[in-house]
Amino acid sequence: MDDLEKGILIMFDESGAIDDELKNQAKTYCTDVKQKPSVCRLCIQKLCSSNLVQVQFWCLQTLHELIQTRYSAIPPEEKHAIRTTVFSIACLVVVEDNNNNTPIRVLEAAPAFIKNKLAQVLIALIYYEYPLICSSFFLDFLPHLRKGNVVIDMFCRVLNALDDELISMDYPRTPEEVTVANRVKDAMREQCVSQIVRAWYDILSMYRNSDQHLCITVLDSIRRFISWIDIAFIFNDTFLPFLFDFILVTTTSDHLRAAAVRCLLAIVSKRMESQSKLSLLQTLQITRVFRLLTDDANADLVPDIAALLSGYATEALDCFKRITSEDAKGISMELLNEVLPSVFYAMKNFELDTTTLNIVQFLSGYASTLKTLAPLSEKHILHVGQILEVILVLIRYDPVYRTNLDVMDKIGKEEEDRMTEFRKDLFVLLRTVGRVAPDVTQLFIRNSLASAISRSSDSNVEEVEGALSLLYALGESLSEEAVRNGNGLLSELLFMLLSTKFPCHSNRLVALVYLETVTRYVKLIQDNAQCIPIVLAPFLDERGIHHPNISVSRRASYLFMRVVKLLKVKLVPFIAVILQSLPDTVARFTATNYTTEELSGSEDGSHIFEAIGLLIGMEDVPPEKQSDYLSSLLSPLCQQVEALLRNAKLLSYEETNARIAVIQQIIMAINSLSKGFSERLVTASRPAIGNMFKQTLDVLLQVLVIFPRIEPLQSKVTSFIHRMVDTLGASVLPYLPKAIEQLLAETEPKQMSGFLLLLNQLICKFNILVRDILEEIFPSVADRIFSIIPREGLPSGLDAATEEIRELQELQRTLYTFLHVIATHDLSTVFISPKCKAYLDPVMQLLFYSSCNHKDILLRKTCVQIFIRLIKDWCAQPYGEKVPGFRSFVIETFATNCCLYSVLDRSFDFRDANTLVLFGEIVVAQKVMYDKFGDDFLVHFISKGFSVAHCPPEMAEQYRQKLQGSDIKALKSFYQSLIENLRLQQNGSLVFR
């Protein structure tokens, strides 16, 4: 071996015996060889002489790359040598310069990857040379097929590679590739397609009994070519019976029969004019393959047969839609009626994998077509029933996964996710059918449910779950009015559901879909007071909240909360009964062993407290009972918190964590409970209720004292304060200083976002009533934030792709919102109060820098809006100002830098919608500055700003006129035009429009 062969062997070595450094050296060496001018000749020589498949592959791969990337640079004599050599290898042709004067035997012992790479090289040559240079490539190849299966196999590989690499539109193609593909196809149609088809027929005839694998390869080539050659070459009295003979003769292997079936599918699917397609479908006599579905010996063939039948049905349906002739429509429908029973049979009795989706899509199209045929014929109603049976069969889980799905282990989770995705198209089909034939659909679901109910054992878990899922999904095809008004059959279905306890109700999937279905249809009986106890029962007994599976119990709590929201006042007479059934559930939620790991996700179990709050928080509940109900819930919870806080500092680490987990649960429970109480009720009509929540707030604030700097606890307490602001209104104000003081004391700088959100809520809710609180805490807030956020901004791009930077970006966004809320709620005096004025300059510098330079356009807009409000608040007409120096800062610094220079920068993109919004605020700022400062602003802006930007005097004068006018839209339009022209001037191409 020479160095190149050694390098190739080392580079491709997969034994693990060669270290990476040596492999990299070999790779570098081989790459360097590729760059040499003599690489073509070298590859040709190695192909003719080397028996090492690694070397052969490297040479073919190198030639392929050279042709694809440097074809025009290859000398003509080397192109001829490549063409001659690879063609000779493919056809076992004698090469003139071969010393032994014998064919190059690369192919005879070559593995498939060598043959495939050789085919790719030939196609790369065809891309550039056929038919202009190498005009007879395919005709030259055909005579060599008599050499036997090696050359025939290679010929088929070339044809298949031609499809893969160039012709097939299953892959993305560039316009150039499409043009080349059309050139190649046109030349082949004119020159050699008929000869190739004849060769296919001869090969199939010769090898059908001796080499079925070769026949499969040939049929695969035929399938690919059918889409673009003249269909008459295949769809004729010679070739078509030949294909059916392959399919129907039982002695043929299933793989060969399947390949022939795929050819038939290609014939059926070929694009053509609708009337011609209809004639083709009639002539095909597809009924000949129906029996293959019912023959047990053909199980492996069924997926391809099903694909053929569904493709046939799809084309027949397409003909029905496109053809206007009533006679032709009748023929199309007859063909459909003929093939549909076999399609339904295949769907119900076999696993069809990828074919299933295509059939479901066809059935959706068929069902949609039935909408235009009302009233439906008896045959069509029968088909609707068959479609529903197919849906029911396909949506059922495999019993083999029953245990996995019930305990929801990894396998169960994967299977549920897979089925959820798989069911989407089936439920779309169900909704379509439900709209086409609502009575038939509802009756089918009723019978399916009745059949599932009639079984006494729990062995029909999948059947029950499937029937319930159908009933649930049906609801999406019904309008709100239809569900609300209901009909006899729907009402019957719901009562059947409510009155049934399935033997398999302990199964997680059955329990969940049962509760979901009841919730969806509860509107049907919301006005029937006698039915309410029946509706409540499944939520409150072992089918729901008391279900042994915790995920079912938690979901039941959430769904029960939704039912309470819907029924509301109708549940008042049942409150006592409901509460009597829930003490164990309430106690379990705040139990020591009810850990947060069990409660991960949005359904954390707290919804039962929200449901209780909604029930007892209604004004229809008598005041005394309401107080008793709330006290019976809040008092034990508060006492539990107080007990958990006692001696907390003496606990071990594990005991502390356990107590913290329970306190978190209690705070979540109280928070959820409070959602049912309105501000008007707790402050105006029933202040005693408000006092209970105030006392609760007092207790929960102690949590921050006993367990400082525990972020999850702090977050829960903050959330409760948010809740109390909405619930107690202004009556919460006396509690806020203490609450805010404790929260601020325990908040780390990077955790300030949540604290600022609370302040924003308080400002928006109470406006100037919180001025004193803000003046007290603003210095501490500013200190902490400015200690971690640089005034010149945060990193962007790749440097910002860290969790720490993302947290700081979130804090920065919240800070700007906080400053904006202060400025726009009559609280700008906070910035200049004695306690806060030391931070005025840092705040102004931050706002100024961000208004000009921040990457986030919306944050820049926020900063400009803050300046607009401060100018209005602090700068009275004509020359008064509350803040010394602010007026000159605005005129001399903010105006020119933010309103002119930052806009002139080409990063300011007028094509961006958010940027245009920012630009509008900048124009408003100029108008406000002119209104407040008059000519002082205008003179400085024009003489300093415009002069630096080299704005022509006439344009500056037009700007003055627009600014002095009252049309803000005209000012904005002119100013944008002015900026764009100044940008052009900066490029030396001054053009004013």
Side-chain angles (χ1 to χ4, degrees):
M1 288 188 292
D2 58 23
D3 289 342
L4 177 60
E5 291 176 334
K6 292 177 182 176
I8 293 171
L9 291 178
I10 291 171
M11 182 174 63
F12 286 137
D13 182 82
E14 295 181 356
S15 67
I18 298 176
D19 64 68
D20 291 341
E21 183 177 354
L22 183 57
K23 292 187 75 170
N24 288 332
Q25 290 176 359
K27 183 177 180 181
T28 301
Y29 175 77
C30 293
T31 301
D32 291 341
V33 171
K34 287 184 180 181
Q35 307 307 315
K36 293 182 178 180
S38 61
V39 65
C40 282
R41 293 190 299 275
L42 182 62
C43 287
I44 291 169
Q45 184 266 322
K46 292 292 182 187
L47 278 175
C48 296
S49 61
S50 177
N51 292 322
L52 299 170
V53 292
Q54 296 93 328
V55 174
Q56 293 170 358
F57 180 81
W58 184 88
C59 292
L60 289 170
Q61 186 180 52
T62 299
L63 290 175
H64 187 235
E65 291 174 1
L66 288 172
I67 296 169
Q68 283 192 313
T69 59
R70 288 187 278 165
Y71 177 80
S72 60
I74 301 174
E77 63 275 10
E78 291 190 1
K79 290 179 184 175
H80 176 75
I82 296 171
R83 187 185 314 123
T84 302
T85 301
V86 295
F87 186 83
S88 298
I89 294 172
C91 298
L92 299 180
V93 173
V94 173
V95 180
E96 293 179 2
D97 60 353
N98 189 335
N99 295 328
N100 297 320
N101 201 36
T102 58
I104 305 171
R105 300 292 183 180
V106 172
L107 277 189
E108 293 183 333
F113 66 86
I114 294 290
K115 296 177 182 178
N116 292 336
K117 183 56 70 174
L118 178 62
Q120 283 186 318
V121 174
L122 287 166
I123 299 308
L125 287 169
I126 286 172
Y127 185 96
Y128 290 104
E129 298 186 350
Y130 181 79
L132 303 177
I133 299 173
C134 185
S135 59
S136 60
F137 173 83
F138 295 100
L139 291 175
D140 292 343
F141 211 128
L142 289 172
H144 297 283
L145 299 181
R146 64 176 176 269
K147 295 178 180 177
N149 51 14
V150 173
V151 178
I152 293 170
D153 174 78
M154 191 64 229
F155 184 62
C156 290
R157 289 179 191 272
V158 171
L159 295 181
N160 293 350
L162 178 67
D163 184 64
D164 288 334
E165 302 290 324
L166 187 59
I167 293 177
S168 173
M169 296 309 293
D170 291 339
Y171 309 98
R173 304 293 187 196
T174 65
E176 179 189 354
E177 288 173 333
V178 173
T179 301
V180 173
N182 289 332
R183 184 193 76 209
V184 170
K185 288 190 291 185
D186 289 343
M188 292 184 69
R189 289 187 188 105
E190 182 178 345
Q191 186 188 62
C192 59
V193 164
S194 61
Q195 292 94 321
I196 291 174
V197 173
R198 182 67 208 182
W200 283 336
Y201 184 86
D202 291 342
I203 294 166
L204 291 173
S205 300
M206 182 179 300
Y207 288 94
R208 64 179 301 174
N209 296 320
S210 59
D211 193 339
Q212 294 196 355
H213 178 74
L214 185 64
C215 291
I216 292 170
T217 305
V218 172
L219 288 171
D220 187 40
S221 298
I222 295 172
R223 174 188 63 82
R224 293 165 180 264
F225 273 57
I226 284 172
S227 65
W228 59 271
I229 65 175
D230 187 346
I231 192 63
F233 283 125
I234 306 297
F235 193 78
N236 54 52
D237 292 339
T238 301
F239 222 116
L240 194 61
F242 198 41
L243 290 176
F244 272 105
D245 198 30
F246 273 117
I247 296 168
L248 299 176
V249 174
T250 56
T251 56
T252 307
S253 75
D254 281 350
H255 292 299
L256 180 54
R257 299 169 77 187
V261 169
R262 289 192 286 272
C263 287
L264 277 189
L265 177 58
I267 293 171
V268 165
S269 304
K270 184 174 175 64
R271 295 177 59 184
M272 61 179 68
E273 186 269 329
S274 298
Q275 189 61 55
S276 299
K277 174 59 69 68
L278 186 60
S279 299
L280 182 150
L281 297 178
Q282 283 182 282
T283 307
L284 195 60
Q285 299 178 19
I286 199 71
T287 55
R288 287 179 282 178
V289 303
F290 289 174
R291 65 177 176 81
L292 298 178
L293 289 176
T294 56
D295 187 345
D296 291 339
N298 302 320
D300 293 337
L301 189 60
V302 165
D304 290 292
I305 295 293
L308 170 62
L309 297 182
S310 66
Y312 181 96
T314 299
E315 296 298 326
L317 179 63
D318 190 60
C319 290
F320 178 85
K321 292 177 180 177
R322 293 177 181 274
I323 292 177
T324 56
S325 163
E326 289 302 319
D327 289 342
K329 279 184 173 291
I331 293 171
S332 301
M333 192 54 67
E334 286 177 10
L335 296 178
L336 272 172
N337 292 338
E338 190 174 56
V339 73
L340 277 174
S342 294
V343 174
F344 294 140
Y345 181 85
M347 291 286 280
K348 288 188 287 185
N349 292 279
F350 300 96
E351 292 185 11
L352 303 178
D353 300 326
T354 55
T355 307
T356 299
L357 178 59
N358 294 331
I359 298 178
V360 170
Q361 290 174 341
F362 156 70
L363 292 177
S364 291
Y366 176 68
S368 297
T369 302
L370 292 182
K371 293 179 187 177
T372 65
L373 302 179
L376 298 181
S377 68
E378 185 175 335
K379 177 76 75 174
H380 292 145
I381 291 174
L382 177 63
H383 288 167
V384 167
Q386 291 286 304
I387 293 173
L388 291 168
E389 287 183 18
V390 166
I391 296 171
L392 181 58
V393 168
L394 292 180
I395 66 170
R396 287 177 182 165
Y397 281 93
D398 189 331
V400 74
Y401 296 108
R402 185 181 299 174
T403 302
N404 304 101
L405 288 162
D406 201 32
V407 301
M408 205 53 171
D409 57 16
K410 183 176 183 292
I411 295 174
K413 180 71 168 65
E414 290 173 353
E415 177 63 9
E416 186 170 43
D417 290 343
R418 186 193 69 81
M419 279 295 286
T420 299
E421 187 64 29
F422 176 70
R423 285 176 164 189
K424 287 179 180 177
D425 290 316
L426 290 166
F427 286 150
V428 169
L429 174 58
L430 174 68
R431 292 193 290 273
T432 303
V433 173
R435 294 186 184 101
V436 171
D439 291 341
V440 174
T441 305
Q442 292 172 29
L443 184 60
F444 175 84
I445 294 174
R446 179 200 175 282
N447 292 338
S448 300
L449 198 58
S451 173
I453 291 171
S454 66
R455 305 199 183 188
S456 58
S457 70
D458 63 354
S459 62
N460 61 334
V461 168
E462 292 72 31
E463 183 181 354
V464 171
E465 196 276 340
L468 289 172
S469 294
L470 280 188
L471 178 55
Y472 175 78
L474 176 67
E476 293 191 24
S477 67
L478 304 174
S479 64
E480 286 290 319
E481 183 179 358
V483 175
R484 187 168 53 252
N485 296 336
N487 61 36
L489 196 52
L490 271 179
S491 298
E492 181 184 347
L493 274 169
L494 184 57
F495 280 111
M496 178 189 298
L497 198 64
L498 292 170
S499 60
T500 302
K501 289 189 177 182
F502 300 101
C504 57
H505 225 122
S506 60
N507 180 272
R508 184 184 68 87
L509 286 179
V510 171
L512 287 173
V513 71
Y514 178 88
L515 293 170
E516 297 279 1
T517 306
V518 172
T519 304
R520 168 161 281 180
Y521 289 101
V522 75
K523 293 178 182 178
L524 281 173
I525 56 172
Q526 61 181 318
D527 296 324
N528 189 339
Q530 294 179 338
C531 295
I532 289 178
I534 306 175
V535 172
L536 293 177
F539 291 98
L540 300 176
D541 62 22
E542 69 282 355
R543 290 173 289 177
I545 291 170
H546 291 93
H547 196 281
N549 187 303
I550 190 171
S551 65
V552 175
S553 175
R554 291 188 344 224
R555 185 64 179 171
S557 298
Y558 167 74
L559 295 173
F560 178 61
M561 180 267 293
R562 284 177 48 189
V563 170
V564 170
K565 282 186 175 180
L566 176 68
L567 300 179
K568 292 178 182 175
V569 70
K570 299 181 180 67
L571 294 178
V572 171
F574 306 96
I575 290 177
V577 174
I578 293 171
L579 294 180
Q580 287 170 10
S581 67
L582 297 176
D584 57 333
T585 305
V586 171
R588 183 176 65 169
F589 184 80
T590 58
T592 306
N593 60 352
Y594 203 56
T595 64
T596 52
E597 290 182 4
E598 289 179 304
L599 300 171
S600 59
S602 58
E603 290 175 17
D604 53 22
S606 65
H607 290 107
I608 192 61
F609 290 90
E610 185 173 351
I612 293 171
L614 291 168
L615 282 170
I616 67 176
M618 292 184 283
E619 294 197 21
D620 300 84
V621 179
E624 299 80 10
K625 285 192 175 182
Q626 190 173 58
S627 295
D628 290 344
Y629 291 147
L630 183 60
S631 177
S632 67
L633 289 160
L634 283 182
S635 294
L637 291 174
C638 289
Q639 290 167 10
Q640 194 175 354
V641 171
E642 289 172 335
L644 291 167
L645 294 178
R646 291 192 198 106
N647 303 319
K649 296 184 179 180
L650 303 177
L651 300 174
S652 66
Y653 176 79
E654 291 76 13
E655 291 172 323
T656 299
N657 286 341
R659 289 197 180 188
I660 288 173
V662 177
I663 292 173
Q664 283 183 240
Q665 300 307 117
I666 294 173
I667 298 173
M668 289 167 60
I670 297 173
N671 199 5
S672 297
L673 186 67
S674 67
K675 292 179 182 179
F677 294 84
S678 67
E679 180 181 343
R680 191 178 69 82
L681 182 138
V682 303
T683 59
S685 59
R686 300 177 188 179
I689 300 295
N691 290 333
M692 291 187 198
F693 283 116
K694 291 174 188 176
Q695 293 166 8
T696 302
L697 179 58
D698 264 337
V699 172
L700 296 188
L701 289 176
Q702 291 303 308
V703 172
L704 298 178
V705 178
I706 304 301
F707 293 113
R709 299 188 184 280
I710 306 296
E711 198 280 330
L713 270 182
Q714 185 175 315
S715 175
K716 296 290 188 297
V717 174
T718 302
S719 177
F720 183 65
I721 296 172
H722 277 291
R723 184 73 246 151
M724 289 300 97
V725 170
D726 284 337
T727 303
L728 297 174
S731 65
V732 80
L733 284 171
Y735 294 82
L736 290 179
K738 178 183 176 183
I740 290 173
E741 178 186 355
Q742 291 182 355
L743 281 175
L744 185 57
E746 308 306 332
T747 302
E748 296 291 336
K750 289 182 184 178
Q751 298 167 351
M752 286 291 292
S753 293
F755 183 73
L756 292 181
L757 289 174
L758 175 61
L759 295 180
N760 289 343
Q761 181 197 22
L762 297 177
I763 296 169
C764 293
K765 179 83 172 177
F766 301 120
N767 295 305
I768 61 173
L769 294 178
V770 294
R771 177 184 288 126
D772 292 344
I773 296 175
L774 276 179
E775 290 180 358
E776 191 67 35
I777 65 169
F778 188 82
S780 298
V781 172
D783 257 339
R784 296 192 185 194
I785 293 177
F786 285 137
S787 69
I788 61 170
I789 294 184
R791 297 176 195 178
E792 65 277 8
L794 294 168
S796 58
L798 293 177
D799 293 336
T802 65
E803 186 62 30
E804 181 180 13
I805 295 298
R806 283 192 287 269
E807 288 178 0
L808 291 178
Q809 288 172 339
E810 178 61 29
L811 175 57
Q812 188 185 61
R813 282 190 290 269
T814 311
L815 170 64
Y816 287 122
T817 303
F818 173 59
L819 297 174
H820 185 270
V821 169
I822 291 175
T824 55
H825 285 77
D826 300 317
L827 288 167
S828 61
T829 55
V830 170
F831 295 131
I832 55 177
S833 65
K835 292 182 179 180
C836 305
K837 63 183 180 181
Y839 298 92
L840 179 61
D841 184 61
V843 169
M844 291 300 107
Q845 291 300 327
L846 176 67
L847 292 174
F848 167 66
Y849 179 86
S850 298
S851 67
C852 298
N853 304 295
H854 205 288
K855 301 296 183 185
D856 189 329
I857 294 297
L858 294 179
L859 285 185
R860 286 174 68 174
K861 180 198 74 171
T862 298
C863 294
V864 173
Q865 289 175 331
I866 293 172
F867 273 113
I868 291 172
R869 187 56 186 258
L870 294 181
I871 292 168
K872 291 179 178 180
D873 286 355
W874 293 351
C875 302
Q877 180 74 11
Y879 299 114
E881 60 175 345
K882 295 181 181 178
V883 184
F886 180 71
R887 182 173 181 275
S888 59
F889 168 77
V890 169
I891 294 174
E892 298 171 11
T893 304
F894 170 75
T896 52
N897 286 280
C898 177
C899 300
L900 181 58
Y901 300 150
S902 74
V903 181
L904 280 171
D905 191 287
R906 293 193 176 276
S907 63
F908 197 94
D909 185 4
F910 284 106
R911 295 168 299 179
D912 176 65
N914 288 334
T915 302
L916 283 176
V917 174
L918 167 60
F919 184 71
E921 294 297 332
I922 287 173
V923 172
V924 170
Q926 295 172 62
K927 186 68 174 173
V928 170
M929 286 187 284
Y930 177 73
D931 291 342
K932 291 294 184 181
F933 309 136
D935 287 341
D936 285 353
F937 159 71
L938 199 53
V939 169
H940 190 279
F941 195 64
I942 292 177
S943 63
K944 300 294 185 184
F946 279 14
S947 62
V948 171
H950 304 293
C951 177
E954 63 273 16
M955 298 300 293
E957 180 56 34
Q958 288 184 51
Y959 170 77
R960 180 195 301 272
Q961 293 172 6
K962 296 290 184 183
L963 186 65
Q964 291 172 338
S966 58
D967 190 341
I968 193 73
K969 289 185 179 179
L971 173 62
K972 179 181 177 182
S973 177
F974 173 80
Y975 194 57
Q976 180 176 342
S977 176
L978 172 63
I979 295 298
E980 290 171 344
N981 279 292
L982 290 176
R983 287 180 179 178
L984 290 173
Q985 179 183 354
Q986 291 171 357
N987 284 345
S989 304
L990 182 59
V991 179
F992 287 103
R993 293 186 292 274

